Amino acid sequence: MEDAQHLELVNHLKDHLVPTAELEDLVSLFKSLGDLTRLRIILALAQTTLSVSELTDILGMSQSTISHQLGLLKQMNLVKGTRAGKNIHYRLADDHILTIVGTVKAHVEEQKK
Amino acid sequence: MEDAQHLELVNHLKDHLVPTAELEDLVSLFKSLGDLTRLRIILALAQTTLSVSELTDILGMSQSTISHQLGLLKQMNLVKGTRAGKNIHYRLADDHILTIVGTVKAHVEEQKK
DNA sequence: CATTCATATTTATGTATGCGCATATGTTAA
DNA sequence: TTAACATATGCGCATACATAAATATGAATG
């Protein structure tokens, strides 16, 4: 890289980086979706509301693990649960998440060619 | 959850889960974006083509780290580099990535309220 | 060539993270 | 209250991963 214009751009970039703190939320969200178990939970919840034990059964993993991951997803505002008697019904917090997953899925499909 | 219709849905889900293998690519992509350094690299490359040393300078990290992460991003087809003399110019592989980042950013912004 | 500059790779290390056992908490019903 | 069930949480193990120092590879320049 040599021309002056580019150099200027680089210097500008250096001084005008998006503050790390502001990116943390983005990173956290991507991290949340970047796990097979959590993504499977989300895709299941995209179909219907499910209790912890139902998810445990569907995904074939320990109750502890499911609960753990649901906790994370809840903390990230990706899912929310409401108690119904002994059970807790979990659902997606927001359809936005499906849009995101859909967008990425489209990208992956396209890449395959 | 008690009604018969829901029970049927759960059983159907259990048998018709998206195969784990098909989700791996999705997970990998999210994982790639779920790291502060890599996301910063991508955002920088969203502005202009950059060499490794320029990125090293801009992000204030070791050359080794930048190169390492660029390697990962390249492997994921998120960036691509072309040699230009001693340097290698890296750029985003595809504008799709920006759409993804944009979508997630929008989600995060909205969540903040 | 030999040296220098840019990038990649190897290696080491600290840290983060997924998982499930064991247990705690909370809910309902008897 | 006790028993039975559903969910959450503390803990430790195993593993993955980010970082950077040191080194290797490769390209340009004199």
Side-chain angles (χ1 to χ4, degrees):
Chain A
M1 301 274 158
E2 56 240 12
D3 65 283
Q5 192 184 350
H6 181 72
L7 200 79
E8 204 174 316
L9 225 168
V10 171
N11 281 325
H12 183 270
L13 267 180
K14 209 171 154 181
D15 294 336
H16 294 75
L17 281 184
V18 181
T20 292
E22 291 186 21
L23 290 181
E24 295 286 9
D25 288 344
L26 269 188
V27 169
S28 296
L29 184 45
F30 281 124
K31 259 191 189 136
S32 299
L33 298 174
D35 174 79
L36 188 55
T37 301
R38 287 191 293 267
L39 193 59
R40 295 211 297 157
I41 289 175
I42 285 176
L43 291 180
L45 292 181
Q47 304 299 318
T48 184
T49 291
L50 291 166
S51 71
V52 177
S53 51
E54 284 172 332
L55 276 168
T56 298
D57 185 35
I58 290 173
L59 298 193
M61 304 184 75
S62 80
Q63 180 269 323
S64 163
T65 296
I66 300 299
S67 180
H68 256 300
Q69 303 298 12
L70 279 173
L72 277 177
L73 291 173
K74 195 160 110 186
Q75 203 177 322
M76 289 303 302
N77 286 312
L78 294 181
V79 306
K80 56 182 179 178
T82 52
R83 186 171 274 279
K86 282 190 272 197
N87 300 318
I88 296 181
H89 295 346
Y90 277 95
R91 79 189 79 39
L92 293 188
D94 157 1
D95 286 349
H96 223 147
I97 297 130
L98 287 183
T99 307
I100 293 171
V101 174
T103 306
V104 176
K105 192 182 284 184
H107 172 77
V108 170
E109 302 292 334
E110 192 164 324
Q111 206 67 261
K112 274 186 181 161
K113 296 179 289 193
Chain B
M1 301 276 160
E2 54 238 16
D3 66 281
Q5 194 182 351
H6 183 71
L7 200 80
E8 205 174 317
L9 224 168
V10 172
N11 281 324
H12 182 270
L13 266 179
K14 208 171 154 183
D15 295 337
H16 295 74
L17 282 182
V18 181
T20 292
E22 290 184 22
L23 290 180
E24 295 287 10
D25 288 344
L26 270 187
V27 169
S28 297
L29 185 44
F30 281 123
K31 260 192 189 134
S32 298
L33 298 174
D35 175 79
L36 188 56
T37 302
R38 287 192 293 268
L39 192 59
R40 294 210 299 158
I41 289 176
I42 284 177
L43 291 180
L45 292 181
Q47 304 300 317
T48 183
T49 292
L50 292 166
S51 71
V52 177
S53 51
E54 284 172 332
L55 276 168
T56 299
D57 185 35
I58 291 173
L59 299 194
M61 305 183 74
S62 79
Q63 179 269 323
S64 164
T65 296
I66 301 298
S67 180
H68 186 232
Q69 301 296 12
L70 279 172
L72 278 178
L73 291 174
K74 195 161 110 187
Q75 202 177 322
M76 288 304 301
N77 287 309
L78 294 181
V79 308
K80 53 183 182 178
T82 52
R83 187 170 272 279
K86 284 189 272 195
N87 300 320
I88 296 182
H89 295 345
Y90 279 94
R91 75 193 66 106
L92 294 188
D94 158 0
D95 286 348
H96 224 148
I97 298 129
L98 286 182
T99 307
I100 293 171
V101 174
T103 305
V104 176
K105 192 182 283 183
H107 171 78
V108 171
E109 301 294 334
E110 192 162 324
Q111 207 67 261
K112 272 185 185 163
K113 296 179 287 193

